[in-house]
Amino acid sequence: MVALAVSLNLRTYLRLQATSTSKVCINLPNINTFLSWDVTELKQLLPDSGAELGNVNELDAELVRRLRDLVGVSNGTLDTRSMAILAFLYIYLSVFAGSGELPSLTVSVWSELPTGAGLGSSAAYSVCLAAALLSASGTIPSLLSDQESTARWGEVEMELINRWAFQGEKIIHGNPSGVDNAVGTWGGILRYHSGKITPLIRVPMLRILLTNTKVPRSTKVLVAGVKDKMNKFPSIINPVLESVNAVSCTCEQTLSEMTNDTPTPEHYNILEELIDINQHHLNVMGVGHPALDTLCRVTLARGLHSKLTGAGGGGCGITLLRPETECSVVQNTIQDLRDCGYDCWETSIGAEGVQQHSPLAVKKEALEVLARY
């Protein structure tokens, strides 16, 4: 089945500072986590030969076990804080192991993405870690010149960033698809089919409202529920899945037309119909939620079309905004959704992926947050 994954224009920022403290520090203000370790303590976790580490294709199970002991978590622990720490330490040790020296540094990460909402915040975090630590180790070049405020790496470097970010995702989620870290790396819109991820070459930027219903959900439970329905009612659910596939393919074709030509009202009409159809399909599959139904009803009252995003079962939804949608409609819709107890932002999809920034290119509010730590 074809699926389309799109990047959100809500950024995750990382600042890496070399220090002379003989300590490695991680600051994660979003989850109120501020920790440090002595470099000598971390060196003891490395195997006698650093060559045994640095395999970007599979996790080193022994290093993961040692890190779990260091952090003090059991195999069953899945809390955000512990997983974030493990991912950082694993990538840090693996990337620098081959050099024979572990550098003293402070890493601060702050994100506009809410955590635990099914929006790929852990993947954005892993992508930032991979890009920063690979750059700091000299594995990939530091690109910025005095005349540039932002820069992006080439295809080879981006692929390496993506593969290391995937290792971080495996530590955090166990068996991820690789889609979220790929979107975080390349940005834009990706096509996922039969395990193969293909970036769409040119994509339009689309305005959306992003709404967090704040209803907690479990991806594992939701996936199990869909599989159960498939087993019980294969003659019903399989055609639904085929239709979902057709929705994705039609959406891909429409987005391609919008990129090659000037987007027309008809393009937006098609996207709105596809959004409505897809949302109904997802409800049939059992991944909807009354809070998401409320989102769709509230936005439709303003002439806007919405669907769930991520695993469903609560979590978040997106609402498409046309270019001609009036500011008053947008603001009134945001207020309606906040009155329901939801969080809501206006943003866009199809944004660029990982970049290297000069301080002047980073949003002022991001710098203000990071400057505190």
Side-chain angles (χ1 to χ4, degrees):
M1 189 170 71
V2 172
L4 297 181
V6 302
S7 61
L8 278 170
N9 196 21
L10 294 174
R11 311 297 295 186
T12 297
Y13 300 95
L14 183 149
R15 182 180 65 179
L16 186 151
Q17 296 171 294
T19 66
S20 57
T21 60
S22 297
K23 289 185 177 294
V24 175
C25 305
I26 182 76
N27 298 324
L28 307 174
N30 286 82
I31 56 174
N32 196 33
T33 296
F34 310 91
L35 294 170
S36 64
W37 301 267
D38 289 330
V39 170
T40 52
E41 179 185 15
L42 295 180
K43 277 185 178 179
Q44 295 173 8
L45 302 176
L46 297 175
D48 294 335
S49 170
E52 295 179 29
L53 282 181
N55 184 349
V56 72
N57 295 314
E58 59 182 88
L59 285 178
D60 184 298
E62 176 60 20
L63 179 58
V64 173
R65 185 194 66 76
R66 293 180 185 183
L67 289 174
R68 282 183 172 275
D69 290 343
L70 174 72
V71 176
V73 298
S74 65
N75 286 335
T77 299
L78 295 174
D79 66 282
T80 301
R81 179 179 179 275
S82 298
M83 295 301 102
I85 295 166
L86 287 174
F88 165 66
L89 290 174
Y90 184 89
I91 297 175
Y92 166 79
L93 288 171
S94 298
V95 166
F96 286 103
S99 67
E101 286 296 327
L102 298 180
S104 303
L105 49 82
T106 296
V107 171
S108 302
V109 188
W110 176 80
S111 183
E112 297 171 340
L113 285 166
T115 58
L119 296 176
S121 59
S122 67
Y125 170 73
S126 294
V127 169
C128 283
L129 288 178
L133 294 171
L134 287 169
S135 181
S137 69
T139 307
I140 62 175
S142 181
L143 301 174
L144 286 177
S145 66
D146 293 338
Q147 291 76 35
E148 293 178 310
S149 57
T150 62
R152 300 197 72 190
W153 288 274
E155 188 70 19
V156 173
E157 291 83 9
M158 296 282 268
E159 178 59 33
L160 188 59
I161 291 170
N162 182 54
R163 288 162 69 190
W164 274 113
F166 189 40
Q167 299 303 309
E169 278 284 88
K170 284 199 270 190
I171 287 175
I172 295 170
H173 292 298
N175 187 30
S177 67
V179 171
D180 285 353
N181 50 276
V183 171
T185 301
W186 277 284
I189 301 178
L190 304 184
R191 185 180 196 269
Y192 180 77
H193 179 60
S194 300
K196 184 179 179 181
I197 301 170
T198 308
L200 303 190
I201 297 174
R202 296 175 61 210
V203 296
M205 288 277 284
L206 299 176
R207 293 170 62 211
I208 64 162
L209 295 180
L210 175 67
T211 301
N212 184 2
T213 67
K214 297 191 280 190
V215 174
R217 79 287 172 278
S218 166
T219 301
K220 184 177 181 179
V221 170
L222 290 161
V223 170
V226 173
K227 289 181 178 178
D228 183 56
K229 271 191 168 54
M230 290 172 63
N231 292 331
K232 284 184 179 178
F233 313 110
S235 63
I236 298 173
I237 299 301
N238 287 336
V240 174
L241 294 173
E242 290 178 10
S243 186
V244 169
N245 181 75
V247 167
S248 295
C249 293
T250 306
C251 182
E252 181 182 357
Q253 179 183 345
T254 304
L255 293 171
S256 177
E257 291 174 2
M258 294 173 73
T259 302
N260 295 328
D261 304 313
T262 302
T264 66
E266 181 58 24
H267 287 131
Y268 281 90
N269 290 343
I270 292 172
L271 290 179
E272 288 173 345
E273 288 189 75
L274 293 175
I275 284 171
D276 293 342
I277 293 169
N278 188 235
Q279 178 62 21
H280 288 305
H281 284 344
L282 294 167
N283 275 330
V284 169
M285 291 163 59
V287 295
H289 190 277
L292 293 164
D293 294 337
T294 298
L295 163 65
C296 294
R297 186 180 67 253
V298 168
T299 56
L300 190 58
R302 298 283 183 184
L304 306 174
H305 299 255
S306 305
K307 67 174 292 292
L308 67 84
T309 187
C316 292
I318 60 170
T319 304
L320 180 65
L321 299 177
R322 288 173 173 257
E324 68 270 20
T325 303
E326 294 181 0
C327 181
S328 60
V329 172
V330 174
Q331 293 306 313
N332 288 333
T333 304
I334 291 174
Q335 189 57 54
D336 291 343
L337 293 168
R338 288 177 177 167
D339 290 343
C340 294
Y342 305 159
D343 290 335
C344 187
W345 309 265
E346 180 179 354
T347 183
S348 58
I349 55 178
E352 290 186 321
V354 65
Q355 299 174 322
Q356 190 174 24
H357 298 276
S358 71
L360 293 177
V362 178
K363 289 183 180 180
K364 180 182 177 183
E365 53 267 36
L367 284 174
E368 288 175 348
V369 170
L370 289 174
R372 300 174 196 158
Y373 304 99

